[in-house]
Amino acid sequence: MAQINLSVPNCESAGETHGRADTAFSRLIEAHGTLINRVCYMYAGCVEDFEDMRQEVYVNLWRGMGSFRGESGESTWVYRVALNSCVSYFRKNRHQSELTPLSALTDVADSGNDERAAMLSEMHSLINQLDRVEKAMILLWLDENTYDVIAEIMNMPRNTVASRLRRIKEKLVKFSNE
Amino acid sequence: MDIEEMKKRFDALNTSLESLDDDNIRLIRQVEEGKIKSAQTKLCGKYRIFVIIGLTMSIVMPVFYRHIFPLAQCIGFSIFFLIAAMMDLYLLCGVRKINYTTMGVETVARKALFYRKRHHLFMAILIALCIPLLGSLYWVFRDDTELI
């Protein structure tokens, strides 16, 4: 995992590197961008929601960088901020015709791979049937985080995490069999 | 689909979303330059403005509109604006305390939903209070066709 110094949140750009500003924040996003995209994708209902949520996560990370003291791992901290930004996001009122389906996000990478795109869409719609907190827990588990890390991010006792995850998995199997 | 299959599909998601990082640079720059505010900041800003408007109107109504409206209506509107200001202040204090970097996800989700429901409840109460107030104003000026 890339180690990034977060103690100077407003450090000036040291210059362009491969077309990207070399700031602590941009390095943080580069190291954990995929994680953020994954979380936002699973919570979004359309591309517009995804972009709003991602923007929200970036702003909250930027605001919180100065207060990060390294008590937890960096990716744990980023996960907490990303999930908190998404669970507290409430969709703006938009006309149905203004919404772009979420599949457009994965179409570029999956062009020609309709099977993978369909699998992702199915997984998304299954997980979408969970409530916001359950979604956060299953996302953390699917990303192979330990129960201790999940308990830290969710601020729950470890035993509660274990029992709730068991119920969430049973729910998902039930949804998928319906 | 079983859980193991779901894990494989989740891993496949990484590959599918990789290309989205290519257009990040503009967004990163905008965030660093402070051009984008978080939804929490914008919401607190709105509540702050409405607290100020509510408190101002609760003072302005009985002081400057006493010669236009009857005393009872002036006091009624003053109390209405004071209640609205207190509600907005309550929501402002609550929403401001939500800390995305230190609070657990369940806590944030619970608080966000709680204050959202309170917001809608307060709106319903204010609308319910406003209707009899406007009705009483109409009753007082019912004979003044020009004003109506």
Side-chain angles (χ1 to χ4, degrees), chain B residues 9 64 100 108 113 118:
Chain B
R9 296 190 190 190
F64 294 105
Y100 292 116
V108 170
L113 196 59
R118 277 290 176 275

Side-chain angles (χ1 to χ4, degrees), chain A residues 36-106:
Chain A
I36 296 168
N37 288 343
R38 221 164 39 233
V39 171
C40 294
Y41 176 85
M42 294 310 298
Y43 272 90
C46 58
V47 171
E48 288 75 18
D49 283 351
F50 172 85
E51 286 168 355
D52 284 347
M53 283 184 193
R54 189 169 67 163
Q55 182 177 287
E56 194 61 22
V57 172
Y58 282 19
V59 172
N60 287 325
L61 282 170
W62 171 251
R63 286 171 69 201
M65 270 175 72
S67 61
F68 179 64
R69 300 276 176 261
E71 297 97 347
S72 60
E74 194 178 277
S75 68
T76 303
W77 180 74
V78 172
Y79 240 129
R80 186 199 299 265
V81 176
L83 286 169
N84 279 340
S85 303
C86 291
V87 297
S88 57
Y89 174 85
F90 292 99
R91 180 184 285 176
K92 291 177 189 163
N93 291 327
R94 289 194 184 96
H95 199 267
Q96 197 64 28
S97 60
E98 296 171 346
L99 303 179
T100 312
L102 213 51
S103 54
L105 283 173
T106 54

Side-chain angles (χ1 to χ4, degrees), chain B residues 48-66:
Chain B
R48 202 172 288 118
I49 288 171
F50 281 115
V51 168
I52 293 169
I53 291 174
L55 289 174
T56 306
M57 289 304 293
S58 70
I59 296 167
V60 160
M61 281 304 290
V63 171
F64 294 105
Y65 285 86
R66 178 65 187 88

Side-chain angles (χ1 to χ4, degrees), chain A:
Chain A
M1 185 196 317
Q3 289 297 316
I4 292 177
N5 176 19
L6 298 181
S7 61
V8 188
N10 295 317
C11 64
E12 295 298 321
S13 168
E16 299 285 332
T17 308
H18 302 297
R20 299 180 74 93
D22 190 27
T23 60
F25 181 65
S26 63
R27 290 196 297 274
L28 178 73
I29 299 299
E30 201 170 345
H32 302 288
T34 311
L35 181 162
I36 296 168
N37 288 343
R38 221 164 39 233
V39 171
C40 294
Y41 176 85
M42 294 310 298
Y43 272 90
C46 58
V47 171
E48 288 75 18
D49 283 351
F50 172 85
E51 286 168 355
D52 284 347
M53 283 184 193
R54 189 169 67 163
Q55 182 177 287
E56 194 61 22
V57 172
Y58 282 19
V59 172
N60 287 325
L61 282 170
W62 171 251
R63 286 171 69 201
M65 270 175 72
S67 61
F68 179 64
R69 300 276 176 261
E71 297 97 347
S72 60
E74 194 178 277
S75 68
T76 303
W77 180 74
V78 172
Y79 240 129
R80 186 199 299 265
V81 176
L83 286 169
N84 279 340
S85 303
C86 291
V87 297
S88 57
Y89 174 85
F90 292 99
R91 180 184 285 176
K92 291 177 189 163
N93 291 327
R94 289 194 184 96
H95 199 267
Q96 197 64 28
S97 60
E98 296 171 346
L99 303 179
T100 312
L102 213 51
S103 54
L105 283 173
T106 54
D107 276 349
V108 173
D110 291 342
S111 56
N113 195 341
D114 293 338
E115 194 189 332
R116 184 159 78 175
M119 278 165 46
L120 289 175
S121 180
E122 191 190 346
M123 179 188 70
H124 184 275
S125 62
L126 266 181
I127 292 179
N128 218 29
Q129 295 180 64
L130 301 170
D131 70 38
R132 291 169 185 235
V133 173
E134 289 173 339
K135 212 185 279 191
M137 293 182 74
I138 199 66
L139 286 182
L140 287 166
W141 182 80
L142 284 170
D143 207 13
E144 296 180 351
N145 289 290
T146 61
Y147 279 17
D148 288 326
V149 168
I150 297 174
E152 186 188 342
I153 293 173
M154 300 301 296
N155 199 23
M156 279 180 192
R158 193 184 183 284
N159 291 344
T160 308
V161 168
S163 63
R164 283 188 76 167
L165 271 174
R166 194 170 48 246
R167 283 203 295 273
I168 292 167
K169 288 176 203 172
E170 286 166 6
K171 257 194 195 180
L172 285 172
V173 170
K174 188 179 147 201
F175 291 152
S176 115
N177 291 336
E178 279 169 3

Side-chain angles (χ1 to χ4, degrees), chain B residues 66-77:
Chain B
R66 178 65 187 88
H67 64 287
I68 300 175
F69 301 126
L71 179 64
Q73 270 68 31
C74 280
I75 292 173
F77 273 110

